[in-house]
Amino acid sequence: MKLISLSTATWHFRDSSSRSWLPATVPGCVHTDLLAAGKIPDPFFGANESAVQWVAERDWEYRTTFQLSAADLQADAHELVADGLDTLATVTLNGKIIGRTENMFVGYRWPVRTQLRQGRNELRVLFRSATQFVRTKRTEFTPPREFCDPVGNAVRLRKQPSQFGWDWAPRLVTAGIWRDLRLEWGSANRLAHAQIVQRHRPDGVVELEVTPEFARATAPAVELTAICSLDGVEVARATGSGAILRLEIKHPQRWWPAGHGAQPLYDFALTASATGEACGSLRRRLGLRAIVLDRHADEWGESFQFVVNGRPIFIKGANWIPAHSLVTTLTRERYSRDLTAAVAANMNCLRLWGGGIYESEHFYDLCDELGLLIWHDFMFSCALYPADAAFVESVNAEAVYQVKRIHHRAALALWCGNNELTQLNGKALSENPALMAGYKKIFHDLLPAIVSVHDGVTAYWPSSEWRGTFENGHALGEQKGDSHYWDVWHARHPVKDYEKWAFRFCSEFGMQSYSSPATNATFCAASEANIFGPSMENHQKNALGNQIILDYVARRYRFPNSQDGLIYLSQLNQAYCMQVGVEHFRRLMPRCMGALYWQLNDCWPATSWSSIEFTGRWKALHYTARRFFAPALVTAHVPGDETTGIGNTRTSTVEAVHLYTVYDAPDAAVGLLRWDLFHLDGTIFLSGKKRVILRYGASVRQKTLHLRRQLAAYGREKIYLRIALDVANKTVSDQTIFLTPPRSMALPRGRTRVTVAIPRPREATLTFTSTCFQHAVAFDFPGLEYRADDNFFDLYPGEPRQVRVRFTQAVSRSRLVAAMSHHSLVDTYD
């Protein structure tokens, strides 16, 4: 098979109503091309988003030329291959229409032998306006409710939902050749695909069952050779001409999720030939693993747990959205930044959310390499969708294409039909039989059938959340299925309401925070940086977001002395909320077997639920996630709460603290549980320790501290509890437990000493020591890019805390000392 890459050709584009052509980049999109040409302002800056909305209303045309020799035209078959066109494309070759598209998520192949000519060939792609389409086409269907599309009816077109706007995303409805485009020629009986199914036998052998697929259903016998190797050493080979090849891999090296083992990836190669002529080849990387969604009857109802290689895995992770609003800008390095950060925070899974895109090969490659399991939604989210024949046919083509493309991935754990369609539209579905029939046609009939045929192994789940019934309610989630819990945030319930529910698996829950001042400065002039000003408000896409942030911050912290202080407090509050939720879910293990918070990343610089800012900076939440997702965790359940009543009087029902260890490292360990009850002046009233056995998958209440006497004697505003877990003489988990919100505590002001050592040119070791308790010490090196292994941590009197920091460039001690800033919670108060 030979090819010409049209992605590297010289391209131009234009507004179809204009005669002026401008340079273009393929893959790319009209927004990035217009930005490069200086025709639009940066849509991310300030309130520029509104200034570029006209782009979506126009039709755009792209063109290029390429040369073919007489020899190039001699092959049996020539095909134009488009891996992704966004979205309403008319493709013309040498003046003749060869194809039309209406689905962003389908790859296309068109036979073009009769349109090609020797010498110069011209290819044009006309993109019609998607916004005009959703206004004027498929008008017989209007979703009963809109949730995140501010204009409406985006569901009428198979296109990235979040392009139309979301409560964390701008409305940038773009167009373009968004994935690779090429001309291929060779055998008419091309090797088109191979389904690869792993069979894990009781004797330990892994059998690969390979079913090839050819462009011609009926064709002469084809000779096939399949080779599997590891680190350059062949471990299995099979040849034949039948419909299926089988390879046996003895003594396989298993692929494991992050934190559970290694991620060896085998190289698989399949070649085909007929009568001495090559028919094509394909290469894949395979991780040998068995992943099962285990749903068996148990004492609470029905389990919902992922079992990998026979081991139940507690899922620790977050939800993934497109890493850029203009996804064609994403590179492997950009994906790597956020995915390696996920693993650094002890995550083992990401939920690829259904309002974005089927991701690039870079994303899947990195998840395979890093051990990040993928809960994979199909791209349907929130609002109901049409189910007419043409729409269903398009969905069918999309699902077949994507399942074939992704099914072999080691990281793939689950196919999920949609995000929240039943949860948000239960009433509409129950009252409208036609809507219900259309919903079931796609999500209960079509998609599971496609997964069964073209994947054959990976489990399918129709929606998230879903409990096996169209009824909703948190109580159902305590029995079976997965749950989205938004009472904390949207309904403004107390943070401790997480602890009311014993969900089997929580796949969405979250809390917003502001991005750092450094990130805000990338999209907002200093004169416009007020969080309630137009520029900052444009980057807060949740209508009530600022009010909710302030509400939760005010419940826990004092009024800050600056806007930077408010940003810091918003991040502390976000981290606290997710810590309460995640640690509760982990303590419930094995009843609850997964916690995926919303959300890992951002698609533009904004106020959002992310733990990683668009610029790559870690919020307080991400550092805290590294602690609450740690394999060995010490955690406290504090029964009761503090409430306010008539006259703003405070009442507390907190009298005891239950200390737990939670453990999910593969090998058992012996630990030392420690606790110290401090007065704010540094006096320790109560101390203790206990030797504990840490076993895989065990959440154990190790100790209950009854504190009524100490609370009465000293007051909850004057004391705090420090808990820690040591393994092999090293503290692997620790935290501070407050018995009243910190705003009620007169936290001491002390001197913090920081020493800086440079063990390597791009690495520093910081040692922090304080004369008194300091809560949530945050440090920064403005102007330098770095990744620290800890931040937003507590300091205890006289106890040093060491942090390793890695920089993207060589640094000196003097430069770091001069640049470094640090503060703690008390510094945000006047």
Side-chain angles (χ1 to χ4, degrees), residues 328-384:
T328 59
T329 65
L330 293 170
T331 62
R332 178 180 166 93
E333 290 70 28
R334 181 65 173 74
Y335 281 109
S336 178
R337 187 197 75 185
D338 291 351
L339 295 176
T340 57
V343 174
N346 292 306
M347 297 184 187
N348 57 31
C349 181
L350 295 175
R351 175 176 173 241
L352 201 167
W353 169 78
I357 60 172
Y358 303 92
E359 278 290 356
S360 77
E361 301 302 328
H362 294 316
F363 175 87
Y364 300 111
D365 284 345
L366 285 161
C367 288
D368 285 349
E369 294 164 14
L370 295 168
L372 283 170
L373 295 170
I374 304 170
W375 169 312
H376 204 307
D377 286 4
F378 287 91
M379 294 304 118
F380 302 86
S381 191
C382 294
L384 292 177

Side-chain angles (χ1 to χ4, degrees), residues 63 144 146 203 216 290 300 310 482 511 551 572 724 784:
R63 74 177 182 186
E146 292 282 3
D203 62 2
R216 288 182 176 177
W300 304 290
D482 75 304
M511 176 62 61
D551 182 6
L572 292 193
L784 294 175

Side-chain angles (χ1 to χ4, degrees), residues 316-320 347 349-351 595-600 629:
K316 304 183 293 189
N319 284 258
W320 173 270
M347 297 184 187
C349 181
L350 295 175
R351 175 176 173 241
L596 298 169
Y597 66 73
W598 184 271
Q599 66 206 61
L600 180 73
F629 279 145

Side-chain angles (χ1 to χ4, degrees), residues 501-519:
W501 304 101
F503 296 130
R504 307 310 306 264
F505 193 107
C506 199
S507 45
E508 266 196 35
F509 57 104
M511 176 62 61
Q512 273 199 358
S513 70
Y514 297 111
S515 287
S516 65
T519 292

Side-chain angles (χ1 to χ4, degrees), residues 372-406:
L372 283 170
L373 295 170
I374 304 170
W375 169 312
H376 204 307
D377 286 4
F378 287 91
M379 294 304 118
F380 302 86
S381 191
C382 294
L384 292 177
Y385 287 77
D388 59 88
F391 190 87
V392 172
E393 182 181 355
S394 181
V395 171
N396 180 82
E398 168 189 329
V400 169
Y401 178 79
Q402 296 296 346
V403 171
K404 284 183 174 182
R405 182 172 79 93
I406 301 165

Side-chain angles (χ1 to χ4, degrees), residues 624-642:
T624 307
R626 195 169 191 266
R627 298 192 281 268
F628 63 57
F629 279 145
L633 173 70
V634 59
T635 173
H637 175 222
V638 183
D641 203 357
E642 184 173 297

Side-chain angles (χ1 to χ4, degrees), residues 25 178 206 233 291 301 326 352 398 419 466 468 473 493 497 569 592 596 647 788 823:
T25 299
W178 76 292
V206 175
V233 178
I291 302 178
L326 305 174
L352 201 167
E398 168 189 329
N419 173 73
W466 178 248
H493 284 202
D497 272 18
L569 294 182
C592 177
L596 298 169
H823 65 277

